Amino acid sequence: FELDGKTLEDRQVADMNAQLSQARADLAQAEARLEQARTLVKAPGGIESVREVLNSLLIQRLREEGIRDERVLEAMRNVPRHLFVDEALATRAYEDTALPIGQGQTISQPYIVALMTQTLLAGGRLKKVLEVGTGSGYQTAVLAQLVDTVYSVERIEPLMKLARKRLREIGCRNVQIKLSDGSWGWKDHAPYDGIIVTAAPAEVPPALLEQLAPGGRLIIPVGGAAVQELLLVQHADKGLSQERLELVNFVPLVRDST
């Protein structure tokens, strides 16, 4: 019996080979996880040492995924991500994945935090940075180690208060947070050398473009629920330029009606 030029036996062999390849890949992943577990078991010093190992493994993964800026990697190594998630999710804090933080919001995937920060810093030294969407405060804490001052806006008051508390507890003194609709930015301290947005509007808010300093960089996800693109907008001498970085998945940037 033949189908599309191949016998039934040929197809069965091909299917078996595909299954074997997948089984080998699954086994390799399992062996890698086992090796990580062995490392954790040997780690002295209790839970804090385990977290240090997990954080080191995360930093190693970020390098493998293309994060090359050592300043960014060191900043992320220094920020205790488990303090920025709910205690029930603390064991997953150093996975390279987004996690819920309540109020329908998430703490961003570490790779995306690293990518956005690395892209922001590629334009040179940054004195003032605006962050739209404080969320858990994790991205804020990373930025605070790399720029002179971070101005951050958050529209959900419980998240803002908790983020402010966490940032104070870990010693971030160069951060100012305001309860506000992020689509309006924070005009009082504009212009900004860099703007980073952690929620996705349907299009780039004009107010953010107006608050971007000459030579500045805006990193923002744009799109709807189905498709979002992470954009780099640069304020060059000849005007604004735009570059697509990659596809992403952020919560929507909600604009207040008032």
Side-chain angles (χ1 to χ4, degrees):
F1 178 72
E2 290 191 4
L3 183 64
D4 297 332
K6 293 184 178 180
T7 65
L8 180 59
E9 183 179 354
D10 290 337
R11 285 187 169 275
Q12 290 174 336
V13 170
D15 290 342
M16 291 176 63
N17 286 335
Q19 292 173 8
L20 180 60
S21 296
Q22 184 60 51
R24 287 171 175 166
D26 293 342
L27 177 61
Q29 291 180 359
E31 288 175 342
R33 288 193 293 269
L34 178 60
E35 186 59 35
Q36 290 180 6
R38 285 171 177 161
T39 303
L40 296 179
V41 169
K42 294 177 182 178
I47 189 65
E48 289 305 319
S49 292
V50 171
R51 285 170 176 158
E52 288 176 9
V53 172
L54 289 172
N55 201 6
S56 295
L57 292 171
L58 173 61
I59 298 303
Q60 178 182 336
R61 177 167 179 170
L62 295 178
R63 280 200 180 96
E64 293 170 353
E65 291 178 338
I67 304 302
R68 297 287 180 259
D69 193 323
E70 289 298 326
R71 297 170 299 173
V72 175
L73 293 170
E74 186 63 21
M76 295 185 68
R77 185 191 300 276
N78 292 335
V79 175
R81 192 171 185 249
H82 65 277
L83 297 181
F84 292 87
V85 300
D86 188 273
E87 187 175 351
L89 294 172
T91 57
R92 300 188 59 196
Y94 298 100
E95 295 178 9
D96 189 21
T97 187
L99 295 170
I101 58 172
Q103 306 291 329
Q105 306 299 301
T106 61
I107 181 174
S108 295
Q109 176 189 0
Y111 168 72
I112 294 298
V113 171
L115 174 64
M116 294 176 73
T117 307
Q118 176 175 267
T119 305
L120 196 69
L121 294 177
R125 185 189 173 193
L126 304 174
K127 293 184 178 180
K128 291 193 301 182
V129 167
L130 172 66
E131 178 192 34
V132 176
T134 314
S136 69
Y138 177 68
Q139 172 77 79
T140 322
V142 172
L143 287 171
Q145 298 181 69
L146 299 165
V147 307
D148 291 356
T149 308
V150 180
Y151 297 93
S152 187
V153 294
E154 172 58 55
R155 67 181 295 274
I156 302 175
E157 189 170 8
L159 291 182
M160 183 205 70
K161 289 181 176 179
L162 185 55
R164 181 179 285 163
K165 177 178 179 290
R166 287 166 170 164
L167 291 166
R168 285 174 178 167
E169 288 175 348
I170 66 171
C172 288
R173 305 301 180 201
N174 60 334
V175 174
Q176 294 188 38
I177 304 178
K178 174 184 178 181
L179 183 66
S180 176
D181 177 352
S183 60
W184 298 108
W186 195 344
K187 190 175 181 179
D188 293 350
H189 301 287
Y192 299 96
D193 304 310
I195 300 176
I196 195 165
V197 184
T198 61
E203 57 187 21
V204 180
L208 299 184
L209 298 175
E210 294 169 1
Q211 294 174 30
L212 189 63
R217 291 182 157 217
L218 164 64
I219 316 295
I220 182 170
V222 174
V227 178
Q228 297 173 5
E229 293 181 318
L230 188 62
L231 304 181
L232 164 62
V233 180
Q234 299 184 74
H235 189 171
D237 294 337
K238 296 181 180 180
L240 297 172
S241 66
Q242 180 174 295
E243 176 184 347
R244 292 177 174 85
L245 300 178
E246 63 178 77
L247 295 178
V248 289
N249 184 21
F250 281 79
V251 297
L253 180 67
V254 178
R255 183 168 183 170
D256 290 336
S257 57
T258 57

